[in-house]
Every structure is written in C-alpha cells, then in structure tokens.
Amino acid sequence: MKDLTTDVALVGAGPIGLELAVALKRAKIDYVHFDAGQIGSTIAGFPRDTRFFSSNERIAIAAVPLQSADQTKSTREQYLAYLRAVAMQFDLAVNTYERVTAIEPRGDGFRLITRSLLAEKPRACDCRRLILATGGTARPRRLGIPGEDLPTVRHELPDPHEYFRRRMLIIGGRNSAIEAALRCHHAGANVAISYRRDAFDAPSIKYWLLPEITGLIESGRIDARFLTVPTAIAPGRVTLQNRGGETTDIDADFTLVQIGYEADMSLCRMAGIELRGPQQIPAYDDQTMQSNVANLYLAGTVIGGTQSKYRVFIENCHVHIDRIIAALGGRHTLAAEPHYVRPES
C-alpha cells in the first residue's frame, strides 16, 4: 500500500465521521478517511434488533432521510443498512480495517502511521489538517473483581437465546441493562439484576421499557437486588455486597456486565491534545471544534471522553460538521445548536 499525502485526514467512520466525509466532498476538500474497523462499527456492536432511543430524523445524516417500514425508531440493522446506503450514494472512500497507530505532529501538519489488516507493512499519511471522529464507546467498562474473566461472564449481550432456561445475573441499572434483562427474560432466562443504587435512573431508560421492567420486578418474575455491588464471580454464583458491607451469594450460571463503556483517547493523547479530569474530556473550541493543537479538530462523541452520564449523542453532534467545514474554509461562524427541547437519547 502506498503512502498518502492529503489536505485533511479524517479518522473514524461512524455516523458523524461519514457525515463529515460527505461535507468534505461537497466542499471539494481533499481528504483521506480511515477506520480501524468497518463503517458504523460501534452500532454493529449493538445487540441484534436493538432499537434506537432517538427518532429517525435526529440520527439521519448528510440530509438523507432515514425511513423505517413501520414508521418507528430505527433498529440496529436498519441503521447499518442506512449507513451503507449513504456511503454508496456519495461514493465515500473509507479505508476500513486500517488502524491509525501513531500521530506525529510535523511542522504545521501531521504524519499518521496506519496498519491495515490487508497489508504486510504499515504506511504513512501526511496531512495538513486532522479530524478525529473516534467516538466515546471503544470498550466496555470492567468491574475489576475476581472471576470477571470466566467464560460465563460477558460484557456485551449475545443472542438472548443462549440464556434459555439458565440463571443469569445482569449487573447495571441503566438502559442497556434494562433492555438486556427484558430480552433475556422473554427468551426464557431466569433473570436477576444487581444495581448499586436504590432505584433505576428513569431518564436514562427508554420510556417504553421502564413500566415493563417495574411490573416484572413487582410481580417477582425478575429478581432485583438494589443497593448491591458484585465483589466476586465464581462458576454458578456471584457474591453481592450491600451498603452495610454484608455479602450474599446469588445463583447465576451466566453474568452479563452492563455498566457502560470507556472511550479510547489514545489518539488524542499521542497528538498532544489536553485531556481533562477522570473522564479525559479533550480541550477544544466549541465554535470551530479545533482542539488545543492547531489544525486538529474533534467531531462527534469523542468530545465527551468517557461519559459517566451521557450528554453527547449522535443527535446533538451534527452541528460539529458545519463548524469544522467553516473553520477549514477560514470562517468562524457558530452553527446553531439543535432546536430540540431536550435530547431523546
């Protein structure tokens, strides 16, 4: 594979990265696009048939309408097909499965070193300006307790069929945990759920799921262990500890950990971007999306670092595109914030 030279290098091909690619093409800006996986790889990692929290119009990109056959919110499968269609419609050239392994500031530009799954050797890409749209959910958070690496412990929901007539414990109390509990229950699993708080965080749960999980818990069909945290996992059981320090063992053939995700801020770090606080929130100018490093811009959920309470979603990142394109063209106008009363995500 040949080394590359371009005006703009764009890293990340999720929804916002693809929307930026369309905008760069429309602005006739020379760019090269990389992603360590396939386009939309974060969405591809969702459990099958997951339905988005946001309405279709709020996650549509590049002014291409997103329609679903039943006029309801898009599923994982529908949205992946939509992203593929956008990439084909605009003939977007994305170097998929080509990971950026190093960023070296050089004069007023950058040199990227990449490694493709399809090439024997790495290659270099020299660019004048760089955009990171690398997202904020690179890997699941871990509990850091004994037994977490047992083969019966998972951090992402597989097909719920795998848990048919088995005892399973779900750890977590936000949207993904609730959705997993319901799907596994309906697939015939014997479900328990452990959550460190005294009640579920209603605003973070899809509104159509909360009444159902509440009813199943109240009827005893799902066993809820509030105000508990796991301290150890062993074959067939999990040890839970309450706030008073007392422990109890709960029978569990399988354990599903649903406590959120961490961002991979390594590219920001190697490029010299200032990362603030335990969430590693990058420094940037919200009028231009330029980081503290000249000619290096941030787009999408990467601006939130590792979010403890999610505030940055696809739906409120579309404005980043107009701001970056304006800045690349030497203009500094603040694109309007979304007119939504509040985010749906």
Side-chain angles (χ1 to χ4, degrees), residues 123-175:
R123 67 171 168 174
C125 175
D126 292 321
C127 61
R128 190 163 64 93
R129 297 174 293 187
L130 174 61
I131 305 171
L132 298 181
T134 49
T137 55
R139 54 185 172 263
R141 283 194 179 106
R142 291 177 59 83
L143 295 166
I145 63 174
E148 188 171 10
D149 294 320
L150 287 171
T152 55
V153 180
R154 291 178 175 169
H155 292 79
E156 295 180 344
L157 177 66
D159 191 321
H161 173 78
E162 295 189 23
Y163 300 124
F164 174 64
R165 290 185 174 175
R166 306 303 296 190
R167 302 166 301 180
M168 71 173 305
L169 174 67
I170 295 173
I171 298 169
R174 295 196 176 186
N175 192 69

Side-chain angles (χ1 to χ4, degrees), residues 113-125:
I113 306 299
T114 71
R115 169 70 78 170
S116 171
L117 289 180
L118 308 178
E120 293 181 0
K121 297 180 180 179
R123 67 171 168 174
C125 175

Side-chain angles (χ1 to χ4, degrees), residues 310-326:
Y310 285 89
R311 296 291 183 267
V312 186
F313 314 98
I314 297 170
E315 66 177 66
N316 54 18
C317 289
H318 301 297
V319 294
H320 301 174
I321 282 80
D322 290 340
R323 293 173 184 175
I324 290 173
I325 295 299

Side-chain angles (χ1 to χ4, degrees), residues 12 34-35 54 65 103 117 129 135 189 193 220 244 265 283 314 344:
F34 299 102
D35 195 284
S54 299
I103 299 174
L117 289 180
R129 297 174 293 187
I193 187 166
M265 305 304 288
I314 297 170
E344 292 177 345

Side-chain angles (χ1 to χ4, degrees), residues 87-100:
M88 289 187 288
Q89 176 177 335
F90 294 99
D91 193 24
L92 301 180
V94 184
N95 294 287
T96 55
Y97 302 106
E98 187 165 355
R99 180 179 298 276
V100 175

Side-chain angles (χ1 to χ4, degrees), residues 61-94:
I61 62 174
V64 177
L66 169 59
Q67 291 285 309
S68 58
D70 56 0
Q71 295 80 51
T72 58
K73 297 182 179 186
S74 177
T75 64
R76 163 195 179 272
E77 288 72 19
Q78 290 168 336
Y79 196 63
L80 288 174
Y82 169 76
L83 295 182
R84 295 194 299 271
V86 170
M88 289 187 288
Q89 176 177 335
F90 294 99
D91 193 24
L92 301 180
V94 184

